[in-house]
Amino acid sequence: MAKSDNCGRRPGPKDCNIEDMGLTLSEVAVLRIARLYFMSFSGYSDTAWIGAGTEAQAVFGELRGSLVAARVLGMLNAIRRSRHSTFIYNSPICAFCCTILTEHERRMMTALRAMRTHEIGRAQVEILMLCEGNGTNVALNAMSALAEVIAEPGSLAHRGTNIHEVRHDA
């Protein structure tokens, strides 16, 4: 991956393009929701969490979106409590950065996909890495709860959601 001319960020060796992961539309939405929460956690934007809820409701509908937003937050908090180091995420508002998954984001999304496809062993390995070898049960349960409520692959297509859309309204 080449350096971006826009923000100056250089992808790390364990980073990857979102397109290379083959994420579904609902998984991309979960990633964006998570990144907005991370913006609030980091102090970059104290109100980005509002954008997370708005994004979830726009993609999944008002009631289900609220549940998705709550479960994404629950999953992130479970992972954060287990980790000793900082979870590295990319900005959802930078046109370049939002197309790249950090190693931590990649592991989180791989675990979510594995949970959704009932590959529990793979999900456990990814969560173990995310939690840095610390307790994983709470994070696994939170991820399982999230996997239960997000849409099946491709089911958001009828809403006109574009996986390549870059939104800067966070």
Side-chain angles (χ1 to χ4, degrees), residues 2 6 11 23 26 28 32 44 51-52 77 83 98 106 116 121 126 133 140 155 164:
N6 296 329
L23 298 178
S26 56
V28 170
R32 181 164 167 77
Y44 178 82
N77 281 332
R83 293 178 61 84
C98 72
R106 178 178 50 81
R116 293 179 71 204
E126 296 296 338
L140 280 167
S155 66
H164 301 291

Side-chain angles (χ1 to χ4, degrees), residues 73-93:
L73 181 58
M75 176 192 68
L76 296 179
N77 281 332
I79 293 169
R80 290 173 65 215
R81 282 191 298 268
S82 292
R83 293 178 61 84
H84 293 291
S85 64
T86 303
F87 187 108
I88 305 300
Y89 74 98
N90 272 331
S91 171
I93 61 173

Side-chain angles (χ1 to χ4, degrees), residues 42-96:
S42 71
Y44 178 82
S45 171
D46 292 340
T47 59
W49 65 271
I50 296 170
T54 302
E55 177 78 11
Q57 289 179 345
V59 173
F60 296 102
E62 185 175 346
L63 294 177
R64 191 158 157 221
S66 296
L67 183 57
V68 169
R71 291 204 176 165
V72 170
L73 181 58
M75 176 192 68
L76 296 179
N77 281 332
I79 293 169
R80 290 173 65 215
R81 282 191 298 268
S82 292
R83 293 178 61 84
H84 293 291
S85 64
T86 303
F87 187 108
I88 305 300
Y89 74 98
N90 272 331
S91 171
I93 61 173
C94 173
F96 175 74

Side-chain angles (χ1 to χ4, degrees), residues 138-151:
V138 174
L140 280 167
N141 290 337
M143 185 159 292
S144 177
L146 173 60
E148 290 175 4
V149 298
I150 60 175

